[in-house]
Amino acid sequence: METKVAPIYATLVMGYLEEKLYTELPTVFDINFATYIKENWKRYLDDCFIFWTKSEEELQTFHRTINNIHESIKFTVESSTIELPFLDILIIKEGAKIKTDLYCKPTDTHQYLDVRSCHPSHTKRNIPFNLARRICTIVSESDLKQKRLHELKIFLKRQHYPEGLIDVAIENASQIPINELRRTRDKDENQPGNIPFVITFNPRNHNILSSAKRFFPILEQSQNMKNLIKESEIINSRRQAPNLKRLLTRAKYETSSSTSVQKCGDPRCGTCEIIEEGSSKILKSGHTLRPNDRMNCKSQNLIYCATCPTCNYFYIGQTGRLIDRVRVHKQQIKDPSIRNTPCSKHFDECGTGRFKIFPFYKMKNNDENFRRAKEDYFIELFKPPLNRK
Ligand SMILES: [Zn+2]
Ligand SMILES: [Zn+2]
């Protein structure tokens, strides 16, 4: 399951199936056992667990019952009279006693975050503590717990955590009473009104939040902001800066057609007739334009090339909306009194009133100043004959 809402779907579907299961059970088992199942059924998302107190045959009856609830949702059953993993817990049956141990998949390499990695120091301090706390929470027998904590120390040393840091983490986790560790926590122990102050983590940054707090009185000049800030605490939150993996790999596979120019196809569009389609255009200057994005007549916030169809002289311009810009070009070609670039006169005379247009650089932000700077850059680079006064 990949998407963010998948766990919510799984929980909703499973909750619904359970309701149906509970009404079905008394028709299959006696009422006492049906009640036993309802009261002892444990689940995390779509992983379920129960201590089965009846025979193997009755387990198969149960399996058939739960698989008949919905035609396309099927459960697999794993059962054992010795031990079973559930989530990260190995549940071991010893006579009438149940022991629990940490369960790691055979493929788990225990490659925890390397302590030399560029992360906030509290994150790296918390990792040994949280791992030790998980062991202390799960492992029921004290000799086994010591063994697991010792293994943890080896794994963490391999990731270059200082021995002192590991020892303190293990010591702190070991001192928490088991009933405290296993207590169910309320969902919103994080105060509901917290506002995260998010900055990209960089070890050289000082604590920007403490400086920013001095300027909060400015925000409080607005009554809405004042109410918001009064009820909330602003907490430091750091996002990870792009690492090499993120810089070097791309989730999206870009085909050449995704960065080309196309007509919009709208029958009323006045730009379709003059827009040049394709994934590249060779200029008279010898340069090749390759669009940096998928664009059509309706594209906005871009740099374009307007070309004379007779002599291929060209003009570089910028626009917020290509359709509007084309309209202005057309008006200026028709009406000499409103011309403000030499290209209009050229398109009128040499181009006999016609021109072609090729948008090739889509801006990443909406700032007109950036767009004008980019236009200047391309004018400097291509030296378009029709931009000259
Ligand atoms: Zn169009
Ligand atoms: Zn021309």
Side-chain angles (χ1 to χ4, degrees):
M1 289 195 168
E2 288 294 328
T3 73
K4 275 183 183 169
V5 288
I8 299 167
Y9 285 146
T11 305
L12 285 169
V13 170
M14 288 299 299
Y16 172 74
L17 294 180
E18 281 168 355
E19 289 302 318
K20 296 195 95 170
L21 173 68
Y22 299 148
T23 58
E24 197 69 26
L25 284 174
T27 66
V28 188
F29 301 109
D30 65 71
I31 188 70
N32 287 340
F33 192 61
T35 311
Y36 169 85
I37 294 175
K38 187 176 173 178
E39 286 175 354
N40 292 278
W41 183 250
K42 307 289 180 199
R43 177 170 59 79
Y44 181 78
L45 299 179
D46 56 355
D47 278 326
C48 314
F49 186 87
I50 190 166
F51 287 109
W52 195 255
T53 57
K54 299 257 179 182
S55 70
E56 182 78 37
E57 288 70 36
E58 282 159 309
L59 181 60
Q60 281 164 21
T61 308
F62 175 76
H63 191 192
R64 274 196 302 278
T65 310
I66 199 164
N67 272 348
N68 280 336
I69 293 174
H70 194 279
E71 57 181 17
S72 59
I73 296 178
K74 299 297 167 201
F75 294 82
T76 55
V77 167
E78 274 176 82
S79 66
S80 169
T81 54
I82 303 159
E83 60 178 38
L84 261 188
F86 178 61
L87 310 175
D88 57 351
I89 312 168
L90 182 65
I91 296 158
I92 308 154
K93 184 173 176 293
E94 270 192 15
K97 199 175 173 222
I98 299 294
K99 294 179 177 178
T100 48
D101 190 7
L102 189 68
Y103 175 74
C104 300
K105 288 198 174 113
T107 50
D108 192 342
T109 54
H110 305 279
Q111 282 218 4
Y112 306 119
L113 180 77
D114 193 301
V115 84
R116 298 168 300 180
S117 183
C118 183
H119 281 72
S121 59
H122 70 87
T123 305
K124 294 187 281 200
R125 271 198 313 276
N126 282 345
I127 285 171
F129 173 72
N130 284 324
L131 289 168
R133 190 175 64 175
R134 180 170 73 134
I135 290 172
C136 294
T137 308
I138 288 175
V139 185
S140 61
E141 309 305 300
S142 76
D143 50 342
L144 204 52
K145 186 171 86 179
Q146 293 313 320
K147 186 173 167 225
R148 295 287 173 247
L149 289 170
H150 182 70
E151 287 166 357
L152 174 66
K153 189 169 172 175
I154 294 167
F155 298 142
L156 288 171
K157 276 170 83 171
R158 207 169 60 195
Q159 302 302 102
H160 310 98
Y161 285 80
E163 194 157 350
L165 177 70
I166 305 171
D167 288 340
V168 168
I170 290 177
E171 178 63 26
N172 288 345
S174 302
Q175 279 175 0
I176 307 172
I178 190 99
N179 52 357
E180 173 67 20
L181 288 169
R182 293 188 178 179
R183 184 172 61 89
T184 324
R185 282 181 189 80
D186 293 331
K187 271 267 158 67
D188 44 19
E189 256 183 342
N190 294 335
Q191 288 169 6
N194 284 351
I195 300 174
F197 180 81
V198 185
I199 55 163
T200 302
F201 175 68
N202 185 317
R204 284 173 297 186
N205 287 350
H206 73 291
N207 187 352
I208 296 171
L209 179 58
S210 62
S211 309
K213 275 184 174 163
R214 287 190 286 135
F215 299 103
F216 283 3
I218 297 171
L219 296 178
E220 287 167 8
Q221 286 171 7
S222 146
Q223 192 58 43
N224 285 344
M225 282 301 290
K226 193 175 181 176
N227 295 342
L228 200 66
I229 294 172
K230 200 165 62 184
E231 292 159 16
S232 327
E233 198 191 338
I234 297 181
I235 52 166
N236 246 322
S237 170
R238 263 126 337 161
R239 89 163 70 76
Q240 193 185 350
N243 55 17
L244 281 175
K245 184 187 171 192
R246 249 204 281 168
L247 290 171
L248 296 174
T249 61
R250 206 177 279 264
K252 200 171 81 181
Y253 177 68
E254 282 179 358
T255 61
S256 59
S257 70
S258 71
T259 59
S260 66
V261 178
Q262 278 155 348
K263 297 182 196 293
C264 73
D266 185 336
R268 291 164 304 169
C269 175
T271 303
C272 274
E273 58 185 20
I274 61 160
I275 198 165
E276 295 176 89
E277 293 189 300
S279 54
S280 68
K281 173 186 169 65
I282 298 170
L283 297 174
K284 199 178 173 73
S285 63
H287 295 95
T288 303
L289 300 179
R290 294 186 199 283
N292 69 336
D293 205 338
R294 179 191 287 244
M295 281 175 277
N296 67 18
C297 322
K298 304 269 167 76
S299 295
Q300 301 189 3
N301 203 13
L302 51 85
I303 315 293
Y304 64 91
C305 173
T307 313
C308 169
T310 309
C311 68
N312 277 334
Y313 272 22
F314 61 99
Y315 168 86
I316 299 288
Q318 58 81 25
T319 178
R321 282 165 50 96
L322 189 62
I323 282 183
D324 294 344
R325 190 69 186 100
V326 165
R327 196 178 300 126
V328 171
H329 269 302
K330 285 181 173 176
Q331 286 164 354
Q332 289 180 344
I333 291 167
K334 272 198 198 122
D335 182 355
S337 71
I338 54 166
R339 286 177 187 168
N340 61 1
T341 70
C343 72
S344 305
K345 184 168 186 281
H346 185 99
F347 291 152
D348 183 22
E349 293 168 3
C350 178
T352 62
R354 295 169 301 129
F355 67 103
K356 297 183 286 181
I357 200 146
F358 188 73
F360 64 93
Y361 192 90
K362 179 112 173 68
M363 299 298 295
K364 303 295 180 200
N365 66 47
N366 291 319
D367 191 322
E368 190 183 332
N369 294 322
F370 280 99
R371 206 166 66 221
R372 290 189 180 281
K374 206 57 159 178
E375 177 194 31
D376 288 344
Y377 165 77
F378 284 120
I379 289 172
E380 185 61 33
L381 186 65
F382 301 142
K383 310 213 180 331
L386 301 182
N387 283 67
R388 275 179 223 138
K389 290 263 149 62

